[in-house]
Short mmCIF file of all heavy atoms in Angstrom, two decimals:
data_model
loop_
_atom_site.label_atom_id
_atom_site.label_comp_id
_atom_site.label_asym_id
_atom_site.label_seq_id
_atom_site.Cartn_x
_atom_site.Cartn_y
_atom_site.Cartn_z
N GLU G 401 106.02 119.50 95.95
CA GLU G 401 105.68 118.67 94.79
C GLU G 401 105.36 119.55 93.58
O GLU G 401 105.07 119.04 92.51
CB GLU G 401 104.51 117.76 95.14
CG GLU G 401 105.01 116.60 95.96
CD GLU G 401 103.94 115.75 96.58
OE1 GLU G 401 102.77 115.88 96.16
OE2 GLU G 401 104.28 114.98 97.49
N ASP G 402 105.43 120.86 93.78
CA ASP G 402 105.10 121.77 92.68
C ASP G 402 106.37 122.50 92.26
O ASP G 402 106.85 123.39 92.95
CB ASP G 402 104.03 122.76 93.15
CG ASP G 402 103.61 123.70 92.02
OD1 ASP G 402 104.34 123.78 91.01
OD2 ASP G 402 102.57 124.36 92.18
N VAL G 403 106.87 122.11 91.11
CA VAL G 403 108.16 122.64 90.69
C VAL G 403 108.08 124.15 90.36
O VAL G 403 109.06 124.88 90.53
CB VAL G 403 108.68 121.78 89.51
CG1 VAL G 403 107.97 122.04 88.23
CG2 VAL G 403 110.14 121.92 89.33
N TYR G 404 106.90 124.62 89.96
CA TYR G 404 106.78 126.04 89.63
C TYR G 404 106.74 126.88 90.91
O TYR G 404 107.27 127.99 90.95
CB TYR G 404 105.56 126.28 88.73
CG TYR G 404 105.78 125.65 87.37
CD1 TYR G 404 105.24 124.42 87.06
CD2 TYR G 404 106.58 126.28 86.42
CE1 TYR G 404 105.49 123.82 85.82
CE2 TYR G 404 106.83 125.70 85.19
CZ TYR G 404 106.28 124.47 84.89
OH TYR G 404 106.55 123.88 83.69
N GLU G 405 106.15 126.29 91.94
CA GLU G 405 106.12 126.97 93.23
C GLU G 405 107.55 127.15 93.76
O GLU G 405 107.92 128.18 94.32
CB GLU G 405 105.29 126.13 94.22
CG GLU G 405 105.18 126.74 95.61
CD GLU G 405 104.66 125.70 96.61
OE1 GLU G 405 103.64 125.06 96.32
OE2 GLU G 405 105.32 125.54 97.65
N LEU G 406 108.35 126.14 93.50
CA LEU G 406 109.75 126.15 93.99
C LEU G 406 110.57 127.28 93.34
O LEU G 406 111.48 127.83 93.96
CB LEU G 406 110.33 124.78 93.73
CG LEU G 406 111.81 124.47 93.65
CD1 LEU G 406 112.03 123.06 94.14
CD2 LEU G 406 112.32 124.61 92.26
N SER G 407 110.21 127.61 92.12
CA SER G 407 111.02 128.63 91.43
C SER G 407 110.62 130.05 91.86
O SER G 407 111.34 131.01 91.59
CB SER G 407 110.86 128.50 89.92
OG SER G 407 109.54 128.86 89.55
N TYR G 408 109.47 130.16 92.52
CA TYR G 408 108.96 131.49 92.84
C TYR G 408 109.93 132.26 93.74
O TYR G 408 110.30 131.79 94.81
CB TYR G 408 107.57 131.37 93.49
CG TYR G 408 106.90 132.70 93.60
CD1 TYR G 408 106.36 133.32 92.46
CD2 TYR G 408 106.83 133.37 94.81
CE1 TYR G 408 105.78 134.56 92.55
CE2 TYR G 408 106.26 134.62 94.91
CZ TYR G 408 105.73 135.22 93.77
OH TYR G 408 105.17 136.46 93.85
N ASP G 409 110.38 133.39 93.27
CA ASP G 409 111.30 134.24 94.04
C ASP G 409 112.66 133.61 94.33
O ASP G 409 113.41 134.10 95.18
CB ASP G 409 110.67 134.63 95.39
CG ASP G 409 110.32 136.11 95.39
OD1 ASP G 409 110.57 136.77 94.35
OD2 ASP G 409 109.83 136.60 96.42
N ALA G 410 112.98 132.52 93.63
CA ALA G 410 114.27 131.84 93.89
C ALA G 410 115.43 132.64 93.30
O ALA G 410 115.28 133.35 92.31
CB ALA G 410 114.24 130.44 93.30
N ASP G 411 116.59 132.50 93.94
CA ASP G 411 117.79 133.16 93.42
C ASP G 411 118.49 132.30 92.38
O ASP G 411 119.22 132.83 91.54
CB ASP G 411 118.75 133.45 94.58
CG ASP G 411 118.20 134.51 95.51
OD1 ASP G 411 118.22 135.69 95.11
OD2 ASP G 411 117.70 134.16 96.60
N ALA G 412 118.30 131.00 92.48
CA ALA G 412 118.91 130.10 91.47
C ALA G 412 118.22 128.74 91.54
O ALA G 412 117.68 128.35 92.57
CB ALA G 412 120.40 129.92 91.75
N LEU G 413 118.26 128.04 90.40
CA LEU G 413 117.79 126.66 90.34
C LEU G 413 118.98 125.77 90.01
O LEU G 413 119.82 126.15 89.20
CB LEU G 413 116.75 126.47 89.23
CG LEU G 413 115.39 127.12 89.36
CD1 LEU G 413 114.52 126.71 88.17
CD2 LEU G 413 114.71 126.72 90.67
N VAL G 414 119.01 124.59 90.64
CA VAL G 414 120.06 123.63 90.30
C VAL G 414 119.39 122.33 89.88
O VAL G 414 118.67 121.72 90.67
CB VAL G 414 120.98 123.35 91.52
CG1 VAL G 414 122.11 122.40 91.12
CG2 VAL G 414 121.54 124.62 92.12
N LEU G 415 119.62 121.93 88.64
CA LEU G 415 119.08 120.64 88.21
C LEU G 415 120.07 119.54 88.59
O LEU G 415 121.22 119.57 88.16
CB LEU G 415 118.83 120.61 86.70
CG LEU G 415 118.18 119.29 86.30
CD1 LEU G 415 116.98 119.51 85.40
CD2 LEU G 415 119.16 118.34 85.68
N VAL G 416 119.62 118.62 89.43
CA VAL G 416 120.53 117.59 89.97
C VAL G 416 120.25 116.21 89.35
O VAL G 416 121.17 115.44 89.12
CB VAL G 416 120.41 117.51 91.51
CG1 VAL G 416 121.37 116.47 92.07
CG2 VAL G 416 120.71 118.87 92.14
N THR G 417 118.98 115.90 89.09
CA THR G 417 118.64 114.58 88.54
C THR G 417 117.88 114.79 87.23
O THR G 417 116.92 115.57 87.19
CB THR G 417 117.72 113.81 89.52
OG1 THR G 417 118.23 113.96 90.84
CG2 THR G 417 117.65 112.33 89.17
N GLU G 418 118.29 114.07 86.19
CA GLU G 418 117.74 114.34 84.86
C GLU G 418 116.43 113.59 84.59
O GLU G 418 116.31 112.88 83.58
CB GLU G 418 118.80 114.06 83.78
CG GLU G 418 119.25 112.61 83.62
CD GLU G 418 120.33 112.16 84.59
OE1 GLU G 418 120.34 112.60 85.75
OE2 GLU G 418 121.15 111.34 84.19
N TRP G 419 115.46 113.75 85.47
CA TRP G 419 114.14 113.14 85.22
C TRP G 419 113.58 113.68 83.90
O TRP G 419 113.69 114.87 83.61
CB TRP G 419 113.17 113.55 86.33
CG TRP G 419 113.34 112.86 87.64
CD1 TRP G 419 114.03 113.32 88.71
CD2 TRP G 419 112.80 111.59 88.01
NE1 TRP G 419 113.95 112.42 89.74
CE2 TRP G 419 113.20 111.34 89.34
CE3 TRP G 419 112.00 110.64 87.37
CZ2 TRP G 419 112.85 110.19 90.02
CZ3 TRP G 419 111.65 109.49 88.05
CH2 TRP G 419 112.07 109.28 89.36
N ASP G 420 112.89 112.80 83.16
CA ASP G 420 112.22 113.21 81.92
C ASP G 420 111.32 114.41 82.17
O ASP G 420 111.21 115.31 81.34
CB ASP G 420 111.32 112.07 81.41
CG ASP G 420 112.06 111.25 80.38
OD1 ASP G 420 113.18 111.64 80.01
OD2 ASP G 420 111.51 110.20 79.98
N PHE G 421 110.66 114.39 83.32
CA PHE G 421 109.74 115.44 83.73
C PHE G 421 110.39 116.83 83.60
O PHE G 421 109.75 117.79 83.18
CB PHE G 421 109.33 115.16 85.18
CG PHE G 421 108.48 116.20 85.82
CD1 PHE G 421 107.13 116.30 85.51
CD2 PHE G 421 109.02 117.09 86.74
CE1 PHE G 421 106.34 117.27 86.10
CE2 PHE G 421 108.24 118.06 87.34
CZ PHE G 421 106.89 118.15 87.02
#
Side-chain angles (χ1 to χ4, degrees):
E401 282 170 15
D402 182 345
V403 74
Y404 292 99
E405 180 195 310
L406 160 149
S407 68
Y408 191 74
D409 250 1
D411 292 285
L413 292 184
V414 183
L415 184 132
V416 181
T417 316
E418 66 277 35
W419 284 97
D420 265 354
F421 175 77

